[in-house]
Amino acid sequence: QVQLVESGGGLVQAGGSLRLSCAASGRTFSNYAMGWFRQAPGKEREFVAAISWTGARTYYGDSVKGRFTISRDNPKNTVYLQMNSLKPEDTAVYYCAADPSQFSSSPTTYDYWGQGTQVTVSS
């Protein structure tokens, strides 16, 4: 089992920045690729970013490319999502997730999920 706890969400004005953190506990963190997803009311869960086991590879959803950066600190068992130039359409609950076997943009490959943190961007 891997337990994931997100933090860092909040209310920010358009154009502002936030950094989300996801702290992992349980099994060896470096054995998992990590991803961030988001879900707005009435919409499907959307892929935001993923990072490989060592952090050498990253992958972003089209809507956040060039604005968001995913990173990880394996000794601290933490993955981060730096969000810059935020837009009202970025408003959603953001989830981190752990995938033991793939480096993927599909939520179906992720085995463990956090409870989510709300990000609200005002215009």
Side-chain angles (χ1 to χ4, degrees):
Q1 288 283 348
V2 175
Q3 292 78 42
L4 302 171
V5 179
E6 301 97 336
S7 61
L11 174 64
V12 64
Q13 288 189 332
S17 298
L18 281 175
R19 188 175 83 153
L20 305 183
S21 299
C22 174
S25 60
R27 297 188 176 178
T28 305
F29 180 66
S30 59
N31 287 346
Y32 294 85
M34 299 297 294
W36 285 97
F37 294 81
R38 67 187 182 186
Q39 190 164 19
K43 295 188 176 181
E44 293 187 353
R45 191 160 294 191
E46 177 188 12
F47 170 71
V48 175
I51 189 165
S52 63
W53 297 261
T54 63
R57 292 184 296 158
T58 57
Y59 180 41
Y60 295 93
D62 289 342
S63 61
V64 307
K65 280 180 185 176
R67 300 188 298 122
F68 290 11
T69 303
I70 189 171
S71 61
R72 68 189 295 163
D73 186 337
N74 283 349
K76 293 185 177 180
N77 293 345
T78 303
V79 62
Y80 304 98
L81 185 69
Q82 177 66 44
M83 305 186 296
N84 298 329
S85 302
L86 283 160
K87 304 175 181 180
E89 52 263 43
D90 294 318
T91 295
V93 178
Y94 283 71
Y95 300 89
C96 71
D99 186 341
S101 61
Q102 300 188 49
F103 173 55
S104 170
S105 62
S106 171
T108 61
T109 69
Y110 288 79
D111 288 352
Y112 303 104
W113 292 81
Q115 82 290 347
T117 186
Q118 177 71 46
V119 171
T120 303
V121 185
S122 63
S123 57

